[in-house]
Amino acid sequence: MSALAKASGALKSVDYEVFGRVQVSHYFPNQYTEQEAKKLGVVGWVKNTSQGTVTGQVQGPEEKVNEMKSWLSKVGSPSSRIDKTNFSNEKEISKLDFSDFNTRY
């Protein structure tokens, strides 16, 4: 990942929270979000919250993080309905804090 990150320019980190009918299945975070993150080559985590939202953090090359942000805002799992997605703490980072993308419980 570090060679890819260096080749792609700046590394970016962003926190997110997805609102709507996003916890219809326990598979939303661990199956679909992980699958998309791994396909894009970003790292971080995802977690269901007790408020019925999905929250997490994404890190990677800026272009790939932006693609993941778009997916979190518009696509999600096949059975989800995304009302809105909030992004916060968006910043450039010098190195990745994670080596993979996984689900937190």
Side-chain angles (χ1 to χ4, degrees), residues 2-12 60-63 92-94:
S2 58
L4 171 66
K6 287 180 179 137
S8 301
L11 291 175
K12 192 173 182 181
E62 184 171 9
E63 178 184 321
E92 272 195 29
I93 55 174
S94 59

Side-chain angles (χ1 to χ4, degrees), residues 6-7 12-13 20 39 47 49 68 71 81 85 88 90 92 102:
K6 287 180 179 137
K12 192 173 182 181
S13 176
K39 183 178 94 176
K47 178 181 176 179
T49 70
M68 188 68 185
W71 186 88
R81 186 197 74 239
T85 305
S88 59
E90 192 162 339
E92 272 195 29
N102 57 46

Side-chain angles (χ1 to χ4, degrees), residues 25-91:
S25 163
H26 66 281
Y27 294 114
F28 177 83
N30 63 7
Q31 181 181 353
Y32 296 105
T33 307
E34 277 187 32
Q35 182 180 338
E36 186 66 17
K38 289 175 181 181
K39 183 178 94 176
L40 291 173
V42 295
V43 298
W45 57 273
V46 64
K47 178 181 176 179
N48 283 337
T49 70
S50 57
Q51 294 79 33
T53 64
V54 172
T55 188
Q57 186 176 72
V58 177
Q59 295 183 348
E62 184 171 9
E63 178 184 321
K64 298 299 183 182
V65 169
N66 288 340
E67 287 181 48
M68 188 68 185
K69 285 173 62 179
S70 178
W71 186 88
L72 288 164
S73 299
K74 300 173 185 166
V75 183
S77 71
S79 55
S80 66
R81 186 197 74 239
I82 299 168
D83 292 338
K84 71 175 181 172
T85 305
N86 287 347
F87 296 100
S88 59
N89 301 318
E90 192 162 339
K91 60 190 173 197

